[in-house]
Amino acid sequence: MTPSVRLQEMIRVIRSARTQGEERGIIQKECADIRAQFRQGDNGERSHSLAKLLYVHMLGYPAHFGQMECVRLIASPRYSEKRIGYLGAMMLLDEKQDASLLITNSIKNDLSHSSQYVQSLALCTLACMGSAEMCRDLAPEIERLLRASNCYIKKKATLCAVHIIRKVPELAELFTPSARSLLSEKNHGVLHGAVVLITELCEHNPDTLDQFRKAVPELVQIMKGLVTSSYSPEHNVAGISDPFLQVRILRLLRILGHNNDTASDAMNDLLAQVATNTDSSKTAGSAVLYETVLTIMDINSESGLRVLAVNILGRFLLNNDRNIRYISMTSLQKIVQTDHNAVQRHRGTIVDCLKDQDTSVKRRALELSLALVSAVNIRSMMKELLIFLSTCPPELRSQTTSGIFNVAERYSPSKRWHIDTILHVLTTAGGDVRDETVPNLIQLITTASELHCYTVHKLYRALVKEISQQPLVQVACWCIGEYGDLLLKGECEEIEPVQVTEDDVLDALETVLQSHMSSPATRGFALTATMKLSTRITDNVDRIRSIVSIYGSCIDLELQQRAVEYNALFKKYDHMRYPAVLERMPVMGKNSPGHTNGDTSGENKEPDPSKPKPVEAGLLSEPASQVIIIGYLLQNISISNKCCSFELSINQRILEKNVSWFPRNCCVYVHVVLTETVYEKNGLRLKIQCDKQTETEVMVTLIGSNSAQNDITNFSLQAAVPKVCTCSTFKLSRFSTHKQQIISAAILTGHSIHTVHEY
């Protein structure tokens, strides 16, 4: 039986094994025979034994004991043994093993061998597993072979040079002169290797870009020859002449033409010719066209050529192959910001891709559709996105809702349209929206005072119809609590009027409180809304008191605390329920500056004369009408270069980083943890700190220092407190330079506010 048959017999026996244990037994027996063959020395069977061991290695079994046998076979003078030895080295050795260094000298000798096939074996092995040390030692030999006359050797030496450059980038200069000369070769294999080598040189050493940009006309001529050449059986693939070489040349042209007008101009005509003459009905043609598009978009190409590239990607969207549609949308998404109008022409095709069965294609189509939304097409695009939201797979709902919220906030034509869109999303996919959706929508509703009646009616209907979408229920409860009186009036021009009674509203809120689908946060919204309705209705206050008292023993601590506090308002401080505690919330500040909701009228609105005028921070010499607003230290702080005002209110629970509010016997208790610097500019520094605090009194101190060149005159501190307290203003006639001055005020939660010290 011949050795090759023995290998085939081993393969047949292994494949006939019925269990994994039986296969392991066969492998162990064969490995023992292979070890015995290796120990017998040169018996003519070593190469066949190593071949069987390589098959064992391919099955995943240990074969490391054959590494030294690979070294011995590589050093053999016989080609048949060298071939198996080099194959074993590529499979069993790598640069991390010391045994790989033992074959360096053998590879060097074989690179000078008289047989091109032996040279080929050495080149393939070095390109596959050559370490950095081997590459440094053998790089001169590879450079010599690049100038050989044999195209077969020159092609393999070129690819070996690519591996050396990746392993040892500093050796790139060694191959630069030879790489340029390889472009004059007629052999397609050598040309392909040369283009790959030049690409590698340009990527690893940008200094060589100027040198190889001189070769752009030569590359253009090679590419034109491929595009216009007649049928060649040797290089033809699906009607395209050597598409692999075409793709490589286009990638190199993309690198050489990037940010270079001269090189870009030299290849513009070629790219237009390739884009118009290449058949895209086959995969090979689509690959060439795709690389052409990428090259056009990455160089300084003409505008007409860029439109042609976008149109090619648009044709790809109509392809039946989902992979081609996917890469087309990926490319369009990269260029939509720079060529927005050109991509807009294919908006209909992109939207149709939302109906594709493949989730990856849907995701790309969604991202691209969101990028195409503008102020002009916001209404039509939003209809398509909302339709997609109702049918999209669960894994895409979160991304879809986030995208809809972003584009609606950016391009909404009106506040009513914006509110309707968000409510539609909450109704359809409320469980998949972001956490900040509820406060953002509430902020939007508060700013649209003319739509309060419309919004509360619409949210009430949604609440009665469906309470499973928690964000929608939370917003609905908040609106009913704030604007319940508008709901009970039943007068709304924008929507069909529906007569709602007080019992109907309380029934809806009780349903939310008692539903097993309501989260603790949702119950908190509903309980607060119920409490606020006690100041907006007249006939069911006792029912509200009964509902609130039930939750005073609730297992949820947050809900229990709210109920206890609300009960205290009913019992001991009923005179404070309205308007001091349960009055309507003020208009909330916008979270996203610059957003106008499509309504620019808000920029020129007249300020309410009944409210203090906040001003912006300005220079000390500017008028006092310029003020800075500083967050939520106590409730609302306004500071200017001449005035500091703050408001202490118990309208809502305040839990800021420097302030905590706790009701004790229904009195305000403020605890300032740190001294807070609230304003510092142009030499003026203002700090607010708490010096004394009890259950009924808090001592607030304003510390100001002026390091500017000029004094500040008529400096005043204004304190705005709830209506149950009185209001005072504390003034300084002069704020001297380079001195620290202090104003202390005791704020009593009873019925007065007193000055304690003025320095």
Side-chain angles (χ1 to χ4, degrees):
M1 187 177 294
T2 62
S4 60
V5 175
R6 291 211 307 267
L7 173 60
Q8 294 176 359
E9 181 65 20
M10 185 190 75
I11 295 174
R12 185 189 64 79
V13 173
I14 291 175
R15 288 182 174 178
S16 64
R18 290 172 294 182
T19 64
Q20 189 175 9
E22 184 179 350
E23 179 183 296
R24 284 197 299 266
I26 296 171
I27 296 296
Q28 291 173 0
K29 182 178 181 300
E30 290 295 337
C31 287
D33 293 340
I34 292 172
R35 286 191 179 93
Q37 291 286 345
F38 288 164
R39 287 194 295 266
Q40 290 178 7
D42 189 5
N43 55 6
E45 297 293 329
R46 291 187 304 168
S47 61
H48 303 294
S49 299
L50 182 59
K52 293 197 293 184
L53 183 62
L54 294 180
Y55 180 75
V56 171
H57 171 74
M58 291 169 60
L59 295 178
Y61 292 92
H64 57 278
F65 59 88
Q67 293 175 354
M68 293 307 299
E69 195 64 26
C70 295
V71 177
R72 295 190 187 98
L73 290 177
I74 290 174
S76 172
R78 302 173 186 174
Y79 174 76
S80 59
E81 293 185 348
K82 277 184 178 291
R83 183 179 61 178
I84 297 298
Y86 276 120
L87 178 61
M90 286 186 278
M91 295 179 64
L92 302 180
L93 297 179
D94 57 50
E95 60 181 74
K96 297 180 182 179
Q97 297 169 350
D98 296 336
S100 62
L101 299 176
L102 300 177
I103 65 173
T104 304
N105 192 57
S106 297
I107 292 177
K108 184 175 182 180
N109 293 334
D110 289 339
L111 289 175
S112 303
H113 201 277
S114 58
S115 172
Q116 65 174 358
Y117 302 108
V118 175
Q119 289 179 314
S120 173
L121 290 175
L123 287 170
C124 290
T125 304
L126 179 60
C128 178
M129 47 78 63
S131 62
E133 292 79 5
M134 294 175 64
C135 290
R136 290 189 181 94
D137 294 338
L138 300 175
E141 297 294 326
I142 303 303
E143 196 276 333
R144 175 180 61 82
L145 292 176
L146 286 176
R147 292 179 273 107
S149 58
N150 191 326
C151 293
Y152 179 74
I153 295 301
K154 195 180 296 186
K155 175 183 66 175
K156 293 184 177 294
T158 304
L159 298 178
C160 189
V162 173
H163 173 78
I164 292 175
I165 294 173
R166 291 172 179 172
K167 280 291 180 182
V168 191
E170 57 266 23
L171 293 177
E173 296 181 359
L174 179 65
F175 303 103
T176 302
S178 302
R180 173 68 186 277
S181 63
L182 291 174
L183 292 177
S184 59
E185 293 288 336
K186 301 300 182 182
N187 184 278
H188 282 214
V190 177
L191 277 176
H192 187 278
V195 173
V196 174
L197 176 59
I198 295 174
T199 303
E200 202 70 29
L201 288 170
C202 293
E203 289 178 346
H204 281 84
N205 188 9
D207 296 336
T208 61
L209 280 173
D210 292 335
Q211 179 178 348
F212 286 112
R213 281 189 177 119
K214 299 176 183 178
V216 169
E218 195 171 352
L219 290 168
V220 169
Q221 285 302 120
I222 296 173
M223 189 67 186
K224 282 185 177 180
L226 294 172
V227 175
T228 60
S229 64
S230 57
Y231 175 76
S232 174
E234 185 180 359
H235 306 115
N236 187 276
V237 178
I240 307 297
S241 178
D242 204 343
F244 303 100
L245 180 57
Q246 290 192 43
V247 167
R248 284 294 183 180
I249 292 176
L250 288 169
R251 290 180 183 175
L252 178 56
L253 290 176
R254 181 160 72 245
I255 296 173
L256 297 177
H258 184 66
N259 293 333
N260 187 274
D261 293 333
T262 304
S264 299
D265 292 339
M267 62 184 76
N268 273 334
D269 293 340
L270 168 69
L271 295 174
Q273 185 178 4
V274 175
T276 54
N277 294 340
T278 303
D279 182 16
S280 61
S281 60
K282 302 293 184 180
T283 303
S286 297
V288 173
L289 285 175
Y290 178 67
E291 289 296 333
T292 304
V293 169
L294 295 182
T295 303
I296 291 172
M297 292 303 176
D298 209 33
I299 67 173
N300 300 339
S301 56
E302 300 171 352
S303 58
L305 196 57
R306 298 179 72 88
V307 173
L308 177 60
V310 174
N311 291 339
I312 292 174
L313 294 177
R315 291 203 306 268
F316 282 173
L317 292 175
L318 302 174
N319 198 297
N320 293 328
D321 191 332
R322 287 173 178 166
N323 293 324
I324 294 178
R325 293 205 300 273
Y326 181 87
I327 63 172
S328 173
M329 285 185 287
T330 303
S331 302
L332 288 171
Q333 191 172 0
K334 293 178 181 178
I335 64 179
V336 68
Q337 301 301 329
T338 56
D339 297 271
H340 190 270
N341 292 332
V343 180
Q344 279 283 0
R345 297 189 183 98
H346 306 279
R347 188 176 71 233
T349 309
I350 294 169
V351 171
D352 288 340
C353 291
L354 291 171
K355 305 172 185 177
D356 196 281
Q357 298 299 318
D358 188 271
T359 304
S360 299
V361 175
K362 282 185 178 181
R363 189 184 300 275
R364 281 286 179 261
L366 172 63
E367 294 171 354
L368 190 54
S369 298
L370 292 171
L372 290 175
V373 177
S374 64
V376 177
N377 61 26
I378 179 65
R379 293 182 182 273
S380 60
M381 286 295 292
M382 189 58 68
K383 290 180 181 178
E384 299 291 344
L385 291 172
L386 292 176
I387 293 173
F388 173 72
L389 177 63
S390 62
T391 60
C392 72
E395 60 268 19
L396 292 181
R397 284 181 185 168
S398 178
Q399 181 182 359
T400 306
T401 56
S402 298
I404 290 175
F405 288 152
N406 289 336
V407 297
E409 183 176 4
R410 187 174 181 183
Y411 300 112
S412 59
S414 65
K415 289 184 178 180
R416 174 172 174 174
W417 182 93
H418 193 179
I419 293 173
D420 287 343
T421 300
I422 297 181
L423 293 182
H424 188 286
V425 174
L426 293 181
T427 305
T428 306
D432 298 297
V433 299
R434 300 169 299 182
D435 294 338
E436 64 270 20
T437 300
V438 171
N440 286 349
L441 179 55
I442 290 175
Q443 179 269 325
L444 176 63
I445 293 173
T446 59
T447 58
S449 58
E450 69 281 3
L451 297 175
H452 287 170
C453 183
Y454 167 78
T455 304
V456 72
H457 274 81
K458 192 163 186 177
L459 283 170
Y460 172 76
R461 294 184 178 186
L463 180 65
V464 173
K465 184 177 180 181
E466 177 66 49
I467 63 171
S468 62
Q469 303 290 358
Q470 296 299 288
L472 178 66
V473 175
Q474 292 174 9
V475 177
C477 290
W478 188 92
C479 282
I480 291 174
E482 292 297 319
Y483 314 118
D485 52 337
L486 301 178
L487 178 63
L488 296 174
K489 289 180 180 179
E491 300 175 358
C492 184
E493 297 179 356
E494 297 88 353
I495 197 170
E496 182 180 352
V498 176
Q499 189 62 41
V500 181
T501 65
E502 296 179 0
D503 288 327
D504 294 335
V505 177
L506 293 177
D507 288 342
L509 293 176
E510 267 199 289
T511 302
V512 175
L513 286 168
Q514 298 172 3
S515 173
H516 67 280
M517 293 184 291
S518 299
S519 65
T522 304
R523 288 191 174 95
F525 273 90
L527 186 63
T528 302
T530 304
M531 185 63 185
K532 284 208 165 189
L533 284 178
S534 66
T535 63
R536 291 152 175 76
I537 64 178
T538 57
D539 299 333
N540 284 276
V541 176
D542 291 338
R543 181 181 176 184
I544 293 175
R545 184 185 293 109
S546 175
I547 294 173
V548 170
S549 63
I550 293 174
Y551 291 90
S553 58
C554 179
I555 192 173
D556 182 82
L557 294 180
E558 172 67 22
L559 208 59
Q560 180 188 117
Q561 182 176 352
R562 290 183 187 227
V564 170
E565 294 167 1
Y566 295 155
N567 278 321
L569 283 177
F570 273 123
K571 295 177 181 178
K572 296 183 180 180
Y573 302 95
D574 193 63
H575 63 285
M576 296 179 62
R577 275 193 304 115
Y578 185 81
V581 178
L582 300 179
E583 60 183 346
R584 285 184 181 176
M585 293 292 292
V587 176
M588 300 180 184
K590 294 180 179 178
N591 294 328
S592 52
H595 171 55
T596 62
N597 282 317
D599 181 11
T600 58
S601 61
E603 298 176 1
N604 299 318
K605 287 183 179 179
E606 293 295 330
D608 188 350
S610 64
K611 297 181 180 179
K613 298 180 180 180
V615 283
E616 298 177 355
L619 298 175
L620 296 179
S621 59
E622 293 180 357
S625 61
Q626 294 185 340
V627 173
I628 183 172
I629 303 297
I630 313 269
Y632 284 109
L633 184 59
L634 296 180
Q635 166 69 5
N636 205 342
I637 302 175
S638 301
I639 296 181
S640 70
N641 51 0
K642 294 183 180 180
C643 173
C644 168
S645 65
F646 61 90
E647 178 182 351
L648 181 60
S649 174
I650 55 174
N651 279 341
Q652 63 178 2
R653 187 178 312 277
I654 304 171
L655 294 173
E656 299 295 329
K657 68 175 184 178
N658 290 337
V659 180
S660 55
W661 178 84
F662 303 94
R664 293 192 179 181
N665 298 327
C666 209
C667 295
V668 180
Y669 178 67
V670 179
H671 175 56
V672 181
V673 180
L674 299 173
T675 300
E676 181 75 14
T677 300
V678 293
Y679 182 72
E680 183 175 4
K681 189 173 182 181
N682 299 323
L684 177 61
R685 174 184 294 178
L686 299 177
K687 293 183 179 181
I688 288 182
Q689 70 179 26
C690 178
D691 295 333
K692 178 184 177 183
Q693 51 199 20
T694 65
E695 295 184 357
T696 59
E697 178 184 19
V698 67
M699 179 76 70
V700 178
T701 301
L702 172 70
I703 304 174
S705 61
N706 180 19
S707 60
Q709 298 298 323
N710 301 321
D711 291 348
I712 300 174
T713 58
N714 296 324
F715 185 88
S716 64
L717 167 66
Q718 297 178 347
V721 294
K723 296 179 181 179
V724 294
C725 304
T726 58
C727 221
S728 290
T729 300
F730 315 103
K731 295 184 178 180
L732 285 176
S733 59
R734 182 177 297 276
F735 211 151
S736 302
T737 60
H738 303 289
K739 290 184 179 181
Q740 177 172 291
Q741 293 172 276
I742 301 175
I743 298 176
S744 297
I747 302 176
L748 302 180
T749 57
H751 294 82
S752 62
I753 181 168
H754 302 285
T755 301
V756 178
H757 296 291
E758 181 174 346
Y759 298 97

